[in-house]
Amino acid sequence: MTLPVDLETDAARLRAIMAEDLAVRGVLDDPAWRAAVEAVPRHRFVPGFYLPGEECDGQGLTLWQPVTAALDHGRWLAAAYSDTTLITQFDGDEPDWEHPAGRHGGAPTSSSTLPSLVVRMWADADVREGHTVLEIGTGTGYSTALACERLGSAGVTSIEVDPHRLERAASALHGCGYAPTLAVADGLYGYWPEAPFDRIVAACSFRAVPPALVAQTRPGGKILLTLSGWLYGYARVLLTVAGDGTAEGRLLGGTVSFMSARTHAAPAFGNPAHWAAGLPGRPRAARHAPERITAATEEAFHLRFLVQSAVPDAQLTAVGGIVHLVDVVSGSAAMLAPDGDGGWRVREGGQVRLWESVERLIDVYDAAGRPGPETFTLCVHDGGQHLRQPQVPCLPLPSP
């Protein structure tokens, strides 16, 4: 595709500005990755995307505005070279960027991750020249292009579960002169035809480490992925694979989240009022407020991830100030309501006492001195996967 000279000139200038900004912030301290950022034209990979409007609609849903070069060239190009995640797809529906329409709410299912996080991922995975890498989640292809620029296309394999997404990414990659191995595949199973790999990096989140990824990593190789769950608590982990097929690594700090692998996404749970209707009539005083895991703080973000080990099948939603926990697997539920005096009252029923389980975990966490994510180690072996911390009982992860 031939583009106007002024577009390429403007894009190169904006890339240099973005790279300098990332370097000043300490994100881009490797000269080789900086050269890649300065070379890869991100705008080629995002011909269209959505940005949130300033106001919500009458139902409180975010109004997502389509942005393309045809609609607003300046806004499109500036956003392409901002350190921002650009949403490119909602609910698995591929947009028609020739005739884009606004969106009311929806669940993002594909995006171009903000450049600082993309570079941070490759750097955290200790990717170096000569490595063979598997990227899970091609998305727009921008991250793939950075890896190709750094390592050469021959060392890069990237898989994507969405064939339409991969087709667009492949076109952009090939148009920019990159030729990695690309395939439509589910990241849960890695990609055996190109294994083994020195590094595996996932741009989606999993409930637990997929065994196939450990099996497809060379001894001494590393896997960087994000663990999540149905409570939307997240933690990144960098695992080193041993010769006996086990893997171990510490959690990494920072609040980073990725969309769930589609096979690990939370199921629909229906109407919270229906679940609440079957709960016992006598509430009890809650020992811990829901804000412990819902507040917009790094500690709550981390604690919500740990809580998922106690109630791995629970989901949380708030309606009109009432907090609901629902477990579609066991049929259990809990409902928390303010008591008017600054505390909370809880009703729960079913096989699992959900909030009681959450409270026990929080008690242990508090008694241990509220340990941060860097103090936890994830161990992957034949008998399962467990989070370990010297002062906290072993926490199992759900089966992958």
Side-chain angles (χ1 to χ4, degrees):
M1 178 173 62
T2 302
L3 295 172
V5 174
D6 58 338
L7 171 58
E8 292 302 331
T9 301
D10 288 344
R13 176 179 59 82
L14 291 172
R15 280 199 300 280
I17 292 172
M18 182 175 73
E20 176 64 20
D21 175 64
L22 295 178
V24 169
R25 289 160 48 195
V27 177
L28 200 57
D29 55 5
D30 184 325
W33 283 118
R34 176 164 182 166
V37 170
E38 292 177 339
V40 175
R42 192 187 187 203
H43 66 279
R44 299 277 194 100
F45 296 89
V46 286
F49 47 84
Y50 292 97
L51 293 177
E54 295 182 0
E55 298 180 356
C56 296
D57 67 10
Q59 295 180 317
L61 299 175
T62 300
L63 291 172
W64 293 93
Q65 301 172 347
V67 180
T68 67
L71 290 172
D72 188 333
H73 184 277
R75 188 186 188 196
W76 165 73
L77 192 60
Y81 290 105
S82 65
D83 191 29
T84 305
T85 293
L86 304 173
I87 306 300
T88 55
Q89 186 191 80
F90 286 91
D91 303 319
D93 298 328
E94 192 65 24
D96 177 6
W97 292 117
E98 295 297 323
H99 305 91
R103 299 273 316 198
H104 290 244
T109 48
S110 190
S111 67
S112 177
T113 302
L114 66 161
S116 61
L117 179 53
V118 171
V119 173
R120 179 180 169 187
M121 288 170 59
W122 289 124
D124 284 348
D126 192 26
V127 172
R128 304 176 186 176
E129 286 78 3
H131 281 163
T132 56
V133 303
L134 170 65
E135 176 189 41
I136 298 173
T138 311
T140 65
Y142 174 67
S143 175
T144 317
L146 290 175
C148 290
E149 185 69 32
R150 172 72 187 270
L151 304 174
S153 297
V156 179
T157 298
S158 185
I159 60 175
E160 170 63 49
V161 72
D162 186 325
H164 299 294
R165 282 280 87 212
L166 189 67
E167 182 179 4
R168 286 179 180 265
S171 177
L173 285 162
H174 296 158
C176 292
Y178 303 115
T181 298
L182 300 174
V184 176
D186 188 333
L188 187 65
Y189 305 103
Y191 199 62
W192 287 101
E194 297 295 316
F197 302 99
D198 296 302
R199 299 289 187 269
I200 295 179
V201 176
C204 60
S205 64
F206 296 96
R207 298 185 76 197
V209 181
L213 303 190
V214 177
Q216 292 174 30
T217 303
R218 287 191 176 95
K222 298 181 180 180
I223 303 170
L224 178 69
L225 52 71
T226 300
L227 298 171
S228 66
W230 294 349
L231 289 179
Y232 299 103
Y234 298 85
R236 291 193 311 149
V237 62
L238 180 63
L239 296 166
T240 299
V241 176
D244 60 1
T246 62
E248 184 173 312
R250 289 194 177 276
L251 301 189
L252 304 179
T255 54
V256 173
S257 61
F258 279 106
M259 299 170 193
S260 295
R262 297 191 185 184
T263 45
H264 279 191
F269 57 79
N271 187 332
H274 296 165
W275 291 84
L279 296 176
R282 292 184 178 180
R284 66 170 177 83
R287 295 202 311 278
H288 296 289
E291 288 88 353
R292 289 297 304 273
I293 62 173
T294 61
T297 65
E298 287 196 17
E299 183 183 67
F301 191 87
H302 169 52
L303 185 53
R304 186 160 65 252
F305 170 73
L306 298 179
V307 162
Q308 289 170 163
S309 297
V311 286
D313 300 318
Q315 299 180 65
L316 182 148
T317 188
V319 181
I322 307 298
V323 176
H324 299 264
L325 265 73
V326 172
D327 181 340
V328 300
V329 176
S330 70
S332 305
M335 185 184 76
L336 291 97
D339 63 9
D341 295 318
W344 290 78
R345 305 286 289 177
V346 58
R347 295 163 55 208
E348 49 192 333
Q351 298 178 16
V352 180
R353 292 296 186 263
L354 295 175
W355 195 248
E356 185 177 325
S357 299
V358 171
E359 289 176 323
R360 284 198 298 268
L361 190 283
I362 295 177
D363 287 341
V364 170
Y365 173 76
D366 288 345
R370 300 185 176 185
E374 300 88 347
T375 68
F376 286 81
T377 298
L378 177 63
C379 303
V380 181
H381 47 80
D382 289 339
Q385 303 182 26
H386 297 82
L387 284 170
R388 293 176 179 166
Q389 204 277 347
Q391 295 177 284
V392 176
C394 194
L395 299 173
L397 269 64
S399 299

